[in-house]
Amino acid sequence: MCGIFAYNGKNNTVPFLIEWLRNLEYRGYDSAGLFSINNSWEFVVEKAVGKVSNLATQVEKNIDKNISYSNGIAHTRWATHGKVTQENTHPHYSQSERFFVVHNWIIENYMTLKSELEEKYNFYSQTDTEVIAKLFEELFDGNIISTLEKVTEKLVWAYALAVIDKQNPQTLVGAKLWSPMIVWIGQEWVFLSSDINAVSHVATQFTTLEDRETVVIKNGKYEVFSLGNKVEKDFEEVDDRFQAADKWLFETFTEKEIHEIPTVLRNSLKWRINFETKSIQNETLNELNEMDFDRIEIIASGSSYFAWVVWASWFKELADIQTEVRISSEFLYEKFIPNKKTLYIVISQSGETADVRECVKMIQQKDCNTFWIVNVVWSTIARMCDMGLYTHSGIEVWVASTKNVIGQLAVLLTMWISLGLDRNLQMKDAKSLIEKLWELPAQLETQLAESQKYTDLAEKYKKYNNFFYLWRNILQGTAAECSLKLKELTYLHAEAYSTWELKHGPLALIHEDFPVVAINPMWSLREKSISNIKEIWARNGTVLWVISKNDSYREIYNDIIEIPETHELLTPFLPLIPLWLFSVEMAKKLWKDVDKPQNLAKSVTVE
Ligand code: AGP
């Protein structure tokens, strides 16, 4: 996704802009650019297709290092309108090259505006953002703040934008509608960013702009306006929730985040479970139990959706509430029949996924109850819904969501135990589950210690192009999530399928060059799954078998991944780390960029 960034203050702007564009890289992009100016009207404009490092090289070559700049805007572009070219790279500028603009999101009426402006101005790009720059020229009334209001009134749908007027070099203005914009303040400088992770460890305080608010920054001081009226904003302290992401000793950030999982799990549980008394302790969950609902609809996408698929299985196992899991982009465009007795729960790591946000808006327009589970503190979805819980996964920076999936499962499990105890879950059953839950982080740690196994497996399996990930019952979400990881990290094809269902067609695909990853721990359906795998084995299928460590049955497999034995309802946790590491190792052996998979973005902020 596009990322915008802006700086105004006493330091030399350009190095800041480059450094912070790097912090936005994980969002996914394909070009980057910057504009910077000082109070002597000296300015620099640089744009580069490809990585931020290309832009940095270009700046290094072209910039006069004796000049310091004090005001600047920068952008990483994820192509939406127009191809990946230098001309389409932000910042965009007006015909007189007076107004420079960076912009995140989509202006839905840009073609109409462009056709009106083309009578007077020549366009050099295919972007909607250039239209904004031309509008500044067209509507400029001598005051950039009132001009900003006039321009944004003409724009349909969403934007986070930052603008500099070359004639007014001390000033930077920003505005937002729907697309996030955070205002960060430090010692005599102010940042704007479209991402809460971007600046965290240099800023001391931050706030988020609300829709139709504008911010005016001059010489490191700011003012915020709403529809032209000055407003006072509450600022939040930047604390350790925003610790900067770094790689430690790992080859990739993704591996570093996978190795954080035991800590994430402990953090996610400790806020809500008292392991001494084996009881749930959480205000929000107590409030939830007071609410009157007899049905739950869960709305999410990607890995967050698969976490829900797991949870829905748990729910059907132990609570009498009808639960449905819905893909957000589908839920949004089906006929919505609002139900006041339904609790609509949305889950999103970033808290910014566009279709999930639109779902919340649609549900709230019908005055129904919404509950959020997000990871990014103060993200849009967390601020939109009625109530919710953070997953406390820490900053998850890289595209493949791993540690936060575990954080989500932990929150969901706690919610389900709390709701279940309020219905038909017996206290003794809850306590035995909590006991097993307490063992889980240490079990995951032993899995992380065995990571060499997955390197060896990857060496053997990297030659294949297609995989089945087979599941039964409560392992559907796990299989779907792990097949997603293989796809997004290796670009190979992987499909999650019911082991039982194979014989109704897909068994035709079984071949020694089409391996199956069969997830079959020690559980109630183990025997049935063994008979299904036998059918595959009998047809020369290649079987990578995920089984419990103490499972003696070892006849029908080519390779084994052993997982610790645990409470049956906790089995969805245990294949995750091995199969995620398997995908990471496969990607490395196939020379893929594990941290920045092609075509993907961390946060899908456009529908
Ligand atoms: C996960 O590995 C993917 N990168 C992607 O499916 C992600 O889970 C999905 O886009 C949802 O993101 P969210 O949780 O931030 O809403």
Side-chain angles (χ1 to χ4, degrees):
M1 292 298 106
C2 296
I4 68 165
F5 192 77
Y7 171 91
N8 179 293
K10 66 178 174 51
N11 299 324
N12 184 11
T13 312
V14 172
F16 263 92
L17 294 177
I18 297 278
E19 180 189 352
W20 298 113
L21 283 183
R22 290 189 201 284
N23 282 41
L24 293 174
E25 283 196 285
Y26 78 92
R27 292 166 62 95
Y29 70 101
D30 36 49
S31 62
L34 61 84
F35 167 82
S36 201
I37 191 167
N38 61 26
N39 294 350
S40 313
W41 287 274
E42 294 161 309
F43 68 91
V44 58
V45 186
E46 293 292 348
K47 302 181 174 191
V49 166
K51 301 290 184 195
V52 171
S53 51
N54 298 351
L55 176 68
T57 306
Q58 206 170 290
V59 168
E60 183 66 26
K61 188 159 64 74
N62 299 341
I63 202 166
D64 178 339
K65 294 183 184 49
N66 300 315
I67 297 176
S68 179
Y69 300 95
S70 51
N71 194 17
I73 54 178
H75 186 269
T76 49
R77 177 175 183 251
W78 191 72
T80 310
H81 296 109
K83 291 195 175 306
V84 180
T85 62
Q86 185 96 358
E87 294 71 28
N88 287 331
T89 304
H90 299 216
H92 288 291
Y93 45 85
S94 57
Q95 182 127 317
S96 60
E97 298 190 18
R98 172 171 178 175
F99 299 100
F100 283 75
V101 182
V102 290
H103 159 239
N104 186 14
W105 215 302
I106 290 174
I107 304 303
E108 289 189 342
N109 64 327
Y110 86 98
M111 288 307 287
T112 309
L113 295 170
K114 186 167 182 175
S115 58
E116 291 161 9
L117 291 163
E118 274 173 332
E119 288 157 27
K120 201 172 168 183
Y121 301 103
N122 302 318
F123 282 79
Y124 58 80
S125 83
Q126 303 156 296
T127 65
D128 52 351
T129 308
E130 188 189 353
V131 171
I132 300 173
K134 291 333 196 240
L135 272 177
F136 264 89
E137 188 140 354
E138 178 65 10
L139 300 174
F140 187 61
D141 61 10
N143 178 318
I144 191 161
I145 302 165
S146 52
T147 305
L148 176 64
E149 299 284 349
K150 289 178 187 161
V151 169
T152 50
E153 274 162 21
K154 283 195 166 283
L155 305 181
V156 172
W157 195 219
Y159 53 82
L161 58 93
V163 186
I164 293 178
D165 167 8
K166 257 174 34 183
Q167 302 303 324
N168 188 1
Q170 305 90 335
T171 302
L172 169 68
V173 294
K176 69 90 77 183
L177 174 65
W178 202 242
S179 180
M181 180 178 274
I182 295 105
V183 182
W184 306 82
I185 53 177
Q187 313 300 330
E188 297 174 72
W189 48 253
V190 180
F191 284 113
L192 299 180
S193 77
S194 44
D195 185 301
I196 208 148
N197 296 329
V199 193
S200 45
H201 70 287
V202 292
T204 51
Q205 290 185 308
F206 75 93
T207 189
T208 48
L209 285 192
E210 299 305 326
D211 283 349
R212 300 212 182 280
E213 285 184 345
T214 54
V215 58
V216 181
I217 307 165
K218 183 169 185 176
N219 298 327
K221 304 295 176 202
Y222 73 91
E223 289 183 302
V224 176
F225 298 86
S226 177
L227 303 174
N229 303 312
K230 193 167 184 306
V231 294
E232 292 307 318
K233 297 288 286 181
D234 296 330
F235 275 74
E236 172 101 356
E237 290 300 319
V238 178
D239 59 26
D240 63 4
R241 286 173 298 173
F242 302 91
Q243 82 281 11
D246 58 48
K247 239 191 290 194
W248 298 347
L249 302 174
F250 299 100
E251 230 181 293
T252 66
F253 275 104
T254 303
E255 287 167 286
K256 175 242 172 187
E257 290 178 349
I258 291 175
H259 280 74
E260 285 182 292
I261 284 173
T263 307
V264 164
L265 184 55
R266 289 188 179 99
N267 282 344
S268 205
L269 295 173
K270 78 181 181 188
W271 299 93
R272 300 177 182 108
I273 295 183
N274 179 328
F275 285 98
E276 296 298 314
T277 60
K278 297 189 182 54
S279 62
I280 305 294
Q281 52 182 31
N282 180 274
E283 281 308 306
T284 304
L285 292 175
N286 296 337
E287 270 175 61
L288 198 57
N289 280 334
E290 300 305 315
M291 285 174 71
D292 175 21
F293 60 87
D294 56 16
R295 189 170 167 279
I296 288 179
E297 275 206 49
I298 301 160
I299 300 135
S301 52
S303 289
S304 297
Y305 169 76
F306 295 132
W308 275 118
V309 171
V310 173
W311 190 69
S313 315
W314 282 332
F315 226 77
K316 287 171 195 153
E317 288 293 315
L318 285 127
D320 288 344
I321 304 180
Q322 177 57 36
T323 303
E324 258 194 275
V325 196
R326 310 295 303 280
I327 290 180
S328 48
S329 51
E330 294 306 318
F331 179 83
L332 194 53
Y333 295 102
E334 288 166 359
K335 179 170 177 45
F336 176 45
I337 303 168
N339 180 334
K340 297 278 197 300
K341 297 272 279 183
T342 294
L343 178 66
Y344 295 92
I345 307 180
V346 292
I347 188 165
S348 170
Q349 188 286 129
S350 60
E352 303 299 345
T353 298
D355 27 62
V356 178
R357 291 172 57 179
E358 285 298 294
C359 291
V360 173
K361 201 173 155 187
M362 179 176 78
I363 295 162
Q364 290 186 325
Q365 280 164 354
K366 299 294 182 186
D367 198 26
C368 291
N369 295 315
T370 51
F371 189 95
W372 51 265
I373 297 180
V374 303
N375 184 42
V376 177
V377 174
W378 267 46
S379 52
T380 304
I381 291 173
R383 288 182 288 116
M384 287 174 77
C385 293
D386 307 314
M387 59 196 297
L389 292 167
Y390 284 117
T391 52
H392 296 301
S393 305
I395 292 182
E396 183 178 79
V397 172
W398 302 93
V399 171
S401 184
T402 52
K403 63 173 184 174
N404 184 66
V405 172
I406 297 281
Q408 288 171 340
L409 291 179
V411 168
L412 303 174
L413 193 63
T414 316
M415 271 178 84
W416 157 75
I417 294 172
S418 172
L419 290 168
L421 284 171
D422 215 38
R423 289 167 176 75
N424 63 357
L425 177 60
Q426 300 305 309
M427 184 56 80
K428 67 178 174 50
D429 297 331
K431 285 186 181 298
S432 72
L433 188 56
I434 291 173
E435 257 165 30
K436 289 295 182 187
L437 202 47
W438 179 239
E439 294 168 11
L440 207 47
Q443 289 178 316
L444 301 183
E445 273 159 352
T446 58
Q447 292 185 310
L448 292 169
E450 297 165 350
S451 50
Q452 180 56 42
K453 274 185 192 171
Y454 313 116
T455 311
D456 301 341
L457 280 174
E459 186 55 38
K460 187 171 176 184
Y461 283 81
K462 68 180 186 182
K463 66 186 179 192
Y464 299 117
N465 295 312
N466 296 287
F467 294 77
F468 273 129
Y469 279 67
L470 301 181
W471 56 272
R472 291 297 302 272
N473 192 271
I474 62 170
L475 290 161
Q476 178 183 3
T478 300
E481 159 52 37
C482 293
S483 72
L484 172 70
K485 280 297 170 292
L486 192 80
K487 286 192 278 276
E488 69 177 320
L489 293 180
T490 65
Y491 318 157
L492 299 175
H493 173 250
E495 184 177 4
Y497 219 92
S498 154
T499 316
W500 187 258
E501 194 57 17
L502 270 185
K503 63 171 77 60
H504 298 284
L507 199 62
L509 275 70
I510 291 301
H511 180 274
E512 62 186 353
D513 292 336
F514 197 129
V516 300
V517 179
I519 304 174
N520 190 30
M522 282 300 245
W523 65 328
S524 51
L525 291 176
R526 172 177 168 276
E527 296 303 327
K528 287 196 180 301
S529 292
I530 287 176
S531 59
N532 296 150
I533 305 300
K534 277 181 177 170
E535 292 156 4
I536 293 168
W537 191 249
R539 290 161 180 78
N540 295 322
T542 300
V543 177
L544 171 54
W545 212 5
V546 182
I547 58 172
S548 299
K549 273 191 180 352
N550 57 356
D551 189 327
S552 57
Y553 194 92
R554 309 226 162 188
E555 282 75 33
I556 47 169
Y557 70 91
N558 298 80
D559 295 283
I560 283 185
I561 290 176
E562 295 178 313
I563 59 175
E565 195 170 353
T566 184
H567 190 294
E568 176 159 336
L569 290 172
L570 300 182
T571 44
F573 282 90
L574 287 155
L576 290 172
I577 286 181
L579 292 178
W580 283 339
L581 290 175
F582 174 66
S583 295
V584 168
E585 291 307 318
M586 286 268 280
K588 283 156 60 173
K589 289 186 180 301
L590 296 169
W591 303 104
K592 306 301 182 194
D593 185 341
V594 170
D595 288 336
K596 296 171 212 150
Q598 69 180 10
N599 308 335
L600 299 181
K602 179 61 181 175
S603 175
V604 181
T605 56
V606 290
E607 280 181 61

